[in-house]
Amino acid sequence: MPAFSHGSTTTPAAVAVPPSLALPAVEAAFPRRLHPYWPRLQRKTRGWLLEKRLMSADKVAEYADGLCYTDLMAGYYLGAPDEVLQAIADYSAWFFVWDDRHDRDIVHGRPGAWRRLKDRLHTALDSPGDHLHHEDALVAGFADSVLRLYSFLPQTWNARFARHFHAVIEAYDREFHNRTRGVVPGVEEYLELRRLTFAHWIWTDLLEPSAGLELPDSVRKHPAFRRAALLSQEFAAWYNDLCSLPKEIAGDEVHNLGISLITHEGLTLEEAIVEIRRRVEECIDEFILAERDALRLADALADDGTVRGKELGAAVHACVGNMRNWFSSVYWFHHESGRYRVDSWDDRSTPPYVNNEAAGEK
């Protein structure tokens, strides 16, 4: 059986990467691995999308595997218990569907539908058990995935995850208003917003249930750990911007580092691409240095002579190892997923895997 889905192979070099998007440093220094649970993960997430009515049966059959959502998570959270990875993958698939709903509500001028959805998600985040059978399938699916994520670590982790995701919802609301008004944020404003809409701290939080331990603030907020985590996420967000720039220009988007550079810094499209690429490559170099510091932190924790120290050291090693995995997983995802194949779509502004009808409206 191939290690990767939908036309991918066990040899990443077999995937055609356009020269403008190729990153030799990632291909050479960040080996790609995949969680052994992946084949079952793919099948079960596909079934979950159907069960929760998040995608229609025909779109699941035609597009779900090719979108490679499970590949992305299975390449990131290595070492996670199977049930943890399954919950993360289902949540991640939900996140992509939510992102598509947000986009369609903007494109079709549905501010009321978006406002209702935003409010419902805030409420479901705080009481997911009460929303498992919500009339809006997106709310019910969110409640299901969050309730499962809340089952792995103590309430303190749950509260932190909820706090971080409330901020993500509000950032999506800011994006909604920017897009409907045609407002392109300045570069620094965009970078701050992007850390929220890409959910930097959510994906970082999920490293902990994957490692089986909630990290104390003294570790999570340690400069070495936090910098490595931030760089891994910045790489992913900016590389996504680089790869999705044609798609987002076609869809009249205003949220992309390239679009902010063009609008506010006066760069040409070609110059903006060069600048995003420079930032992406800088992230790689800086992560390699930050990773060393974070691993030294892990070793220091493990060497303090206590059982707790050994547990923390092992958990930090696992988290930092998965930060590294994020680079290769994100990189190959962008070249295998049908989400970015704009040139193959009948309508470059309308992804073929989305439902264009208003949802959850009764």
Side-chain angles (χ1 to χ4, degrees):
M1 171 182 285
F4 305 106
S5 70
H6 193 70
S8 56
T9 72
T10 56
T11 307
V15 179
V17 180
S20 62
L21 302 176
L23 296 175
V26 171
E27 296 182 24
F30 292 78
R32 187 184 191 187
R33 297 185 296 152
L34 202 66
H35 197 292
Y37 180 67
W38 172 77
R40 289 180 61 198
L41 181 74
Q42 186 185 51
R43 290 195 299 272
K44 293 185 84 168
T45 294
R46 191 192 312 133
W48 186 79
L49 287 167
L50 279 172
E51 176 193 345
K52 299 302 176 185
R53 299 176 293 111
L54 291 168
M55 291 177 69
S56 62
D58 61 325
K59 291 193 184 296
V60 168
E62 186 169 0
Y63 297 110
D65 288 357
L67 290 169
C68 300
Y69 296 159
T70 55
D71 305 47
L72 179 63
M73 294 297 110
Y76 184 16
Y77 296 102
L78 271 72
D82 292 354
E83 64 274 16
V84 172
L85 184 61
Q86 187 67 64
I88 292 173
D90 290 349
Y91 167 76
S92 171
W94 173 88
F95 203 118
F96 281 112
V97 175
W98 175 51
D99 185 73
D100 292 335
R101 170 87 76 83
H102 176 261
D103 177 71
R104 293 297 94 186
D105 281 348
I106 293 167
V107 169
H108 295 292
R110 302 191 291 245
W114 165 250
R115 186 172 57 253
R116 281 184 286 274
L117 176 60
K118 174 181 72 81
D119 293 344
R120 289 165 177 173
L121 292 178
H122 275 306
T123 304
L125 183 58
D126 291 329
S127 56
D130 297 334
H131 293 78
L132 295 173
H133 304 289
H134 197 279
E135 62 182 5
D136 186 338
L138 200 68
V139 176
F142 177 65
D144 177 84
S145 62
V146 168
L147 193 64
R148 288 154 62 202
L149 292 173
Y150 283 176
S151 70
F152 301 121
L153 291 178
Q155 176 58 35
T156 45
W157 183 92
N158 297 348
R160 175 175 17 117
F161 179 93
R163 184 172 67 252
H164 286 162
F165 201 75
H166 280 304
V168 170
I169 296 169
E170 287 303 305
Y172 263 70
D173 190 50
R174 285 165 60 194
E175 277 208 355
F176 188 96
H177 293 293
N178 282 348
R179 283 184 64 187
T180 55
R181 296 167 184 165
V183 175
V184 178
V187 173
E188 291 307 315
E189 180 188 352
Y190 170 76
L191 294 176
E192 180 185 346
L193 182 61
R194 185 64 163 143
R195 292 181 183 115
L196 293 171
T197 57
F198 197 81
H200 280 25
W201 302 117
I202 290 293
W203 307 119
T204 302
D205 287 337
L206 290 169
L207 291 168
E208 294 169 66
S210 299
L213 189 69
E214 180 184 19
L215 299 177
D217 284 356
S218 59
V219 172
R220 286 191 309 104
K221 295 181 179 180
H222 191 285
F225 185 90
R226 194 167 179 85
R227 178 149 181 77
L230 178 62
L231 285 166
S232 74
Q233 294 297 321
E234 298 280 55
F235 165 83
W238 298 346
Y239 191 66
N240 175 267
D241 279 6
L242 186 63
C243 294
S244 62
L245 187 55
K247 168 187 171 185
E248 294 183 341
I249 289 175
D252 292 325
E253 250 285 9
V254 297
H255 296 98
N256 184 292
L257 179 54
I259 294 171
S260 287
L261 288 166
I262 292 166
T263 303
H264 295 286
E265 304 294 330
L267 273 60
T268 65
L269 174 60
E270 293 74 18
E271 289 169 341
I273 290 170
V274 169
E275 174 59 16
I276 301 172
R277 186 183 175 93
R278 183 193 68 76
R279 290 175 184 242
V280 165
E281 290 174 336
E282 192 174 74
C283 270
I284 299 169
D285 294 339
E286 291 186 6
F287 175 80
I288 291 171
L289 297 176
E291 177 187 38
R292 294 174 191 165
D293 292 338
L295 290 175
R296 278 196 285 269
L297 169 65
D299 290 340
L301 290 166
D303 291 344
D304 79 346
T306 67
V307 172
R308 174 65 172 169
K310 283 185 170 27
E311 289 177 345
L312 284 175
V316 171
H317 262 286
C319 290
V320 175
N322 280 335
M323 292 174 197
R324 163 171 278 272
N325 290 335
W326 196 221
F327 284 80
S328 59
S329 193
V330 162
Y331 181 72
W332 294 111
F333 168 72
H334 280 86
H335 303 297
E336 293 178 348
S337 174
R339 195 171 177 88
Y340 303 101
R341 295 187 189 136
V342 179
D343 291 337
S344 69
W345 301 352
D346 292 336
D347 176 355
R348 288 170 61 87
S349 66
T350 304
Y353 46 83
V354 301
N355 180 356
N356 268 305
E357 299 174 0
E361 294 299 295
K362 293 188 178 180

